[in-house]
Amino acid sequence: MTTTSIPRHHTSIPPQSMRAALAPVLAAAVDADPSLIALGADGRALFTQVLERDPRRYVDAGIAEANLVGVAAGLARAGLRPVAAAMAPFLVRRANEQIRLDVCVPGLPVVLLGVGGGFGYGPLGPTHHAPDDITLMSAMPGMRVYCPADAADAVSVVRTLLADPSGPAYVRLSARPDPVLPAAASESDPRGPRLLRDGDDVLVLATGRCVAEALDAADGLAADGVAAAVASVTTLHPFPATAIRELAGRRPLVVTAAESLAPGGLGPSTAEALGRRGPAVISLHTDHRYPPVAAHQDLLRFYGVDGQSIRSAVLSYRNRKTREA
């Protein structure tokens, strides 16, 4: 499979890193709130500025994700507000028991930042892929789950969480720079869907990296004579069901696109929210096929959640309905 570059045509700004965008935000938050404390598992990119300002406000657990979460839980019980970061595939799997029992069951205000959820680590392969992070974290009691669409959206989510320490939260962060989306993708409350493009023929709901793919698909569908609305859904749990129903409106078709497994994800949650009397729902998501050695963009294509796959799903549905008429 050939390597392709990240699409850039939605804005003229080069792709940006979520970690680079969040580093000054986290440092400023730690400065402003003496109860905040940062933790990492042998990865300091998110907390370099915290270390520069006050090394005492950072705890490095080493390559020991279970210990990382256990320490974060202990600090939370002591009255602090931990923000812990680690590579997503190791955080959600190696520390699964600690996340559930130490953090979620008692409802502690621990923010977990999972770097490289989905297929963000590309050619590093299945050991570093985490298409199951959303599924695993959505199954945790009381866990709030977020999947930002770009760097600005990640900043919006983290600022919202720092202002609302009401319980545990998991945020999927990308491993590499992402396309910069229109400002509407990060301007309003991340707990509700954000409409990025309007259209009456189909609503495409996307989360995370797939939002850029959905905008690509809408461009192509416009050339096909199909008016596609695109909305970004950053909050996956608790799911904004009422807002999704209002957004779907009278459109005959809703297509969801997510770089994650289906259970607990965008597709099934959307179908449940809209119900049997709502519009038809097509869910595009990843599966358990063994991946090729490929770049992130090519893996999106392999699993059928890239812009062309979204476009093809819409056109196939419309062609089938035309034949049935």
Side-chain angles (χ1 to χ4, degrees):
M1 190 172 287
T2 58
T3 299
T4 54
S5 60
I6 296 173
R8 286 182 49 186
H9 63 270
H10 298 303
T11 71
S12 59
I13 304 172
Q16 293 186 349
S17 162
M18 290 186 184
R19 282 182 285 183
L22 282 172
V25 173
L26 291 167
V30 168
D31 279 349
D33 186 347
S35 69
L36 279 177
I37 186 163
L39 301 92
D42 196 41
R44 302 185 176 188
L46 278 161
F47 304 121
T48 52
Q49 295 185 36
V50 173
L51 278 162
E52 291 170 358
R53 300 182 188 191
D54 187 353
R56 297 171 300 175
R57 306 290 293 281
Y58 174 76
V59 177
D60 195 326
I63 305 176
E65 290 78 12
N67 287 346
L68 171 76
V69 175
V71 171
L75 291 171
R77 285 189 178 275
L80 297 178
R81 295 179 55 198
V83 178
M87 293 175 69
F90 310 130
L91 177 63
V92 302
R93 297 183 192 133
R94 293 178 179 174
N96 190 274
E97 180 181 4
Q98 287 74 22
I99 293 173
R100 172 174 288 277
L101 297 180
D102 295 351
V103 173
C104 290
V105 169
L108 297 178
V110 177
V111 175
L112 300 173
L113 306 178
V115 179
F119 299 102
Y121 283 111
L124 293 182
T127 57
H128 285 63
H129 294 166
D132 51 347
D133 63 334
I134 302 300
T135 296
L136 292 171
M137 294 298 99
S138 293
M140 294 289 177
M143 181 71 89
R144 296 169 290 169
V145 180
Y146 302 86
C147 187
D150 69 354
D153 192 15
V155 169
S156 173
V157 167
V158 169
R159 282 179 171 158
T160 298
L161 290 175
L162 294 178
D164 178 22
S166 58
Y170 174 79
V171 185
R172 176 197 278 191
L173 301 179
S174 59
R176 305 288 183 248
D178 293 302
V180 177
L181 300 178
S186 57
E187 284 181 337
S188 57
D189 192 332
R191 290 168 290 194
R194 291 134 157 176
L195 186 65
L196 308 184
R197 177 173 180 150
D198 210 352
D200 295 331
D201 295 328
V202 58
L203 171 63
V204 181
L205 298 174
T207 188
R209 179 65 176 76
C210 287
V211 176
E213 301 301 319
L215 290 171
D216 281 338
D219 289 343
L221 289 167
D224 300 321
V226 179
V230 176
S232 173
V233 184
T234 297
T235 300
L236 298 174
H237 195 268
F239 194 69
T242 300
I244 292 295
R245 285 192 292 270
E246 292 173 355
L247 196 58
R250 297 180 179 274
R251 295 182 181 93
L253 174 64
V254 174
V255 176
T256 66
E259 184 189 353
S260 60
L261 297 177
L266 179 60
S269 295
T270 297
E272 182 178 357
L274 297 180
R276 295 182 179 180
R277 296 183 180 181
V281 177
I282 296 174
S283 174
L284 303 180
H285 49 77
T286 65
D287 54 45
H288 291 291
R289 285 176 295 161
Y290 195 89
V293 178
H296 189 190
Q297 182 67 30
D298 298 313
L299 290 169
L300 297 179
R301 182 181 304 111
F302 175 80
Y303 287 103
V305 293
D306 66 321
Q308 185 55 51
S309 298
I310 298 170
R311 180 182 180 184
S312 296
V314 173
L315 294 178
S316 294
Y317 176 86
R318 288 173 62 86
N319 290 339
R320 184 171 69 253
K321 286 298 181 180
T322 298
R323 291 194 302 269
E324 294 172 354

